Each structure stands twice: as C-alpha cells, then as structure tokens.
Amino acid sequence: MKVIIAEDYDELSKIAAQLIKEELDVKPALNLGLATGGTPLGTYKELIRLNKEGEIDFSQVKTFNLDEYVGLDSKHPSSYSYYMESILFRHINIKEENTHIPKGNTKNLEEECKAYDSYIERAGGIDLQILGIGSNGHIAFNEPADQQSLGTTIVNLTPSTIKDNSRFFERIEEVPTSAISMGIGSILKARKLLLLISGKSKREITKRLLELDYVTGQLPASFLLLHQDLTLIVDRDALGEN
Ligand code: GLP
C-alpha cells in the first residue's frame, strides 16, 4: 500500500482529483468506480473545476458506483443516485448512459446483483475505484462479518452505519436497513484502488487499519491490503496528528 499524507481535507481532495486526472490523461475512456458519503465531496468538487477549466474530459468515461440503499427510488433525495446526479454528474460532461449505479428499488434484487457484476465485467472491469471507509471499517456497504461477499450482494446495515448515515436523512427511522453493494471481491477486481480517509471521526479505524498484519471479515477494509495497487490518502486529522 502506498500512503500519502495530506495536511488537511482540502489537500486530500486535490491530491485525489490529481490522481484521477493522471489516470484520465493516460486512458480517456476510463472505467471509474465511484463512492458516496461525505469524504469524496471535495474530490468531486475539484473534478468539476478541472472539467470546467478544460483540464479533464468525461465524454468517454464510464462510471460505476459502489452501492445504493434498498427501497429508495433514484429520485429520493437521500438515494445515492440522487447524490451522484446532484453532486457530480450534472456538473460535468459525462453521458448519462455511461453512469451506472446499482438499482435498490427493483423487484428482483438478486438478479440486479448478478447483472451489475456482469455489466462491469463486460465493460472491461473498473480501472480506478475510489473508496471511503465507514467508521466501523466497512467498504461500500460490506459490513463487518465473518463472511465477505465476492460479488455484488444485499447487505443488512449495522446500527452504527444507520446512525452514521442518518445525517443524510431527515430522521434516523428513514434510513433503509439494507443496501445493494459491490462485494469485497468485486472491489478487489479493480485495477487500482484509491482509499480516502479524512477527519477525526476516522481516527480509530485508521489506526486499526494501519496497524493490521492480518485480514479479517470483521474489518472489511483489511481485504484492501491484499491489493497490489492500493493508494491511501489520509489527512492529519484522521491520523491523529492534529
Ligand atoms: C457509506 C457508503 C460508503 C462510504 C461510507 C463512509 O456508508 N456506503 O461507501 O465509504 O459511508 O462515508 P463518509 O465518507 O461520509 O464517512
């Protein structure tokens, strides 16, 4: 794992966007894996700036999101579809048909899981996957558990994730209790992984991750350490140096 230490969130976001730009420069038809949550917001802002200034072009890019809540329509303001559209897609020159997010409101969720994995595969796989981390060590929505899924799967959210994510909903009761998520195996298939960790609330999990010398389903992020091309960008708040 390559570790880049950023002074603060702003620097972390700029470094992440720069690394994405470098990949786009080499491969304009990049298959880019995207994450949601608070952490990538600054990176997306920076990508929008670079796109508006003509430094990067999304016209040939395909995007694949990690996860979506079960039961939320794509128009629901707390859905990840809505997040991606309002935070990033509508501000850049990406083609709508090139953006992919697992459907959380379809009748046949198991079919959707299989279809999502095979769609990514047929597109040639993900070149660069952006990742955040849950305070309990989850990656996408793969929650701590003995078994971790190879492919896209339906997961039950833990009370701690429901609590963490309730800030994106009006009331905690509105947070869905399950989600459709790329599996740890699907994530490890990406050619490059870029893990972003920022903020004091991530101190404990950052410390646990950096001190690990084994992998365990109880800390899903530990599987990322098996990847040959993992870059971690972490800010000083998350490292506990501020
Ligand atoms: C959610 C998402 C994850 C994300 C995590 C951390 O649960 N499913 O993909 O990494 O939250 O979010 P934040 O960046 O807001 O801390």
Side-chain angles (χ1 to χ4, degrees):
M1 166 173 61
K2 182 177 171 199
V3 181
I4 300 173
I5 299 173
E7 283 309 313
D8 52 26
Y9 178 67
D10 197 44
E11 190 178 275
L12 174 145
S13 303
K14 288 195 172 122
I15 297 171
Q18 206 51 43
L19 292 181
I20 298 167
K21 179 185 180 312
E22 282 169 22
E23 295 300 313
L24 278 169
D25 287 346
V26 176
K27 187 176 177 187
L30 196 72
N31 284 346
L32 182 60
L34 298 174
T36 50
T39 311
L41 288 172
T43 306
Y44 294 156
K45 215 170 143 192
E46 188 62 11
L47 289 179
I48 293 167
R49 187 187 69 77
L50 290 169
N51 186 231
K52 291 211 186 305
E53 289 175 6
E55 297 264 330
I56 50 175
D57 170 35
F58 287 94
S59 62
Q60 297 180 63
V61 172
K62 286 191 178 129
T63 63
F64 299 89
N65 266 77
L66 287 168
D67 46 18
E68 178 60 284
Y69 290 107
V70 164
L72 294 195
D73 186 82
S74 59
K75 303 275 180 300
H76 189 289
S78 304
S79 74
Y80 286 164
S81 266
Y82 188 93
Y83 169 110
M84 289 313 306
E85 177 56 27
S86 54
I87 300 286
L88 182 66
F89 296 155
R90 74 164 64 138
H91 307 287
I92 59 176
N93 70 327
I94 194 155
K95 296 190 179 105
E96 195 189 335
E97 65 267 29
N98 285 347
T99 66
H100 308 94
I101 302 177
K103 291 186 191 68
N105 63 342
T106 167
K107 281 203 188 95
N108 196 338
L109 286 166
E110 288 200 0
E111 269 306 308
E112 175 65 10
C113 291
K114 281 191 211 130
Y116 199 65
D117 281 329
S118 65
Y119 194 78
I120 293 174
E121 222 164 286
R122 275 185 281 125
I126 292 174
D127 295 303
L128 172 65
Q129 176 67 58
I130 318 293
L131 298 164
I133 188 171
S135 59
N136 65 356
H138 76 217
I139 290 294
F141 266 133
N142 296 285
E143 297 281 36
D146 288 347
Q147 290 187 10
Q148 290 297 334
S149 182
L150 291 175
T152 297
T153 187
I154 305 300
V155 280
N156 290 322
L157 303 182
T158 60
S160 82
T161 295
I162 290 175
K163 187 166 168 279
D164 283 355
N165 289 7
S166 64
R167 68 190 196 278
F168 297 111
F169 291 79
E170 279 185 18
R171 292 179 312 127
I172 192 163
E173 293 77 19
E174 286 176 19
V175 185
T177 53
S178 60
I180 177 168
S181 173
M182 274 169 64
I184 289 291
S186 343
I187 292 166
L188 288 177
K189 280 187 188 163
R191 286 180 267 281
K192 267 180 193 283
L193 301 180
L194 181 56
L195 174 61
L196 310 178
I197 313 188
S198 168
K200 292 182 180 161
S201 65
K202 300 287 169 66
R203 266 187 195 174
E204 203 183 310
I205 194 65
T206 304
K207 188 167 184 290
R208 274 177 73 199
L209 187 65
L210 291 176
E211 286 174 357
L212 272 185
D213 51 10
Y214 55 89
V215 297
T216 168
Q218 295 300 335
L219 204 174
S222 66
F223 287 95
L224 304 180
L225 303 173
L226 299 171
H227 199 277
Q228 287 195 346
D229 195 342
L230 166 66
T231 300
L232 163 65
I233 313 179
V234 59
D235 66 14
R236 292 206 183 273
D237 271 351
L239 272 180
E241 291 178 357
N242 264 343

